[in-house]
Every structure is written in C-alpha cells, then in structure tokens.
Amino acid sequence: VQLQASGGGSVQPGGSLRLSCAASGVIFPINVMGWYRQAPGKQRELVASATSAGNTNYADSVKGRFTIFRDRSENTVDLQMNSLKPDDTAVYYCNLISGPGATQWFWGRGTLVTVSS
C-alpha cells in the first residue's frame, strides 16, 4: 500500500489550504483514512479521520474549521482547512488503518503546513 499526499504550503492566519491523499495497492475494504500532524517538539496527533462506513472524527482543536472528505470508491481523503491558525503549523501525514482488526498502519510522506503572518 502506498499513500500519495499533496497540498500544503504557507498561508497567513485565517487562510485556507486543502490537503489530498490517494491510497493505492491492495486495501482491506474496512478501513480508516485520515490525517495526523506533528508540530516541532510535539507528538504526532490525530487531526481528522473517516471510516469506510462514513463515520468521521475530529480533534477538538480543529472542529468547525477543518472538514475531511472521503471517497471510498477511489480510496482518497482530502482535508479542507479553513480559518487556519499559527498553532496549525505542522507536518501533516496521511494515514490508512487497514487489515483485520485494524492492525496495518500506513503513512504517507509528510507535507508541511505553515501558518504565519
């Protein structure tokens, strides 16, 4: 399984960015795709995720600002990020959790999001 992520970049506070990720390979039909982020000096944390059943989950810090879009037929997941804050600055990683018992974790190459004036 490979995850190809795109998007990211630099934006001023209050701006918007969209991240996209596409998974390829043999993927167990029951899975979760989402985005994690890691800021300098901090642990990687979940930003948002969407299951193959259509359920979504968001970190409290992004609720109301970020929206995750999942295309189950294409195995893609996008993250629309609005009202960005400097605290959103981090490397963002696309993630796929798959396999029986959700035992297989896959990561895309990180993409940097910088929010600064």
Side-chain angles (χ1 to χ4, degrees):
V1 175
Q2 289 190 328
L3 300 177
Q4 184 67 44
S6 62
S10 296
V11 66
Q12 292 186 340
S16 298
L17 285 173
R18 189 176 182 102
L19 306 180
S20 297
C21 178
S24 60
V26 178
I27 300 170
F28 194 72
I30 301 174
N31 56 67
V32 182
M33 290 190 75
W35 293 89
Y36 285 69
R37 68 186 181 187
Q38 187 166 18
K42 294 186 178 180
Q43 290 187 331
R44 191 174 296 188
E45 63 175 0
L46 173 69
V47 178
S49 64
T51 71
S52 51
N55 299 312
T56 58
N57 184 38
Y58 293 90
D60 287 343
S61 60
V62 307
K63 284 180 180 177
R65 301 188 298 122
F66 291 12
T67 305
I68 191 166
F69 297 93
R70 174 83 191 266
D71 186 329
R72 285 166 280 173
S73 63
E74 296 292 331
N75 285 318
T76 61
V77 63
D78 286 8
L79 184 68
Q80 177 65 40
M81 305 183 292
N82 298 328
S83 302
L84 282 160
K85 304 176 181 179
D87 283 349
D88 296 318
T89 296
V91 177
Y92 284 69
Y93 297 91
C94 180
N95 168 261
L96 168 66
I97 304 172
S98 182
T103 57
Q104 299 174 359
W105 287 59
F106 303 93
W107 297 96
R109 187 176 298 182
T111 183
L112 178 62
V113 171
T114 303
V115 184
S116 174
S117 56

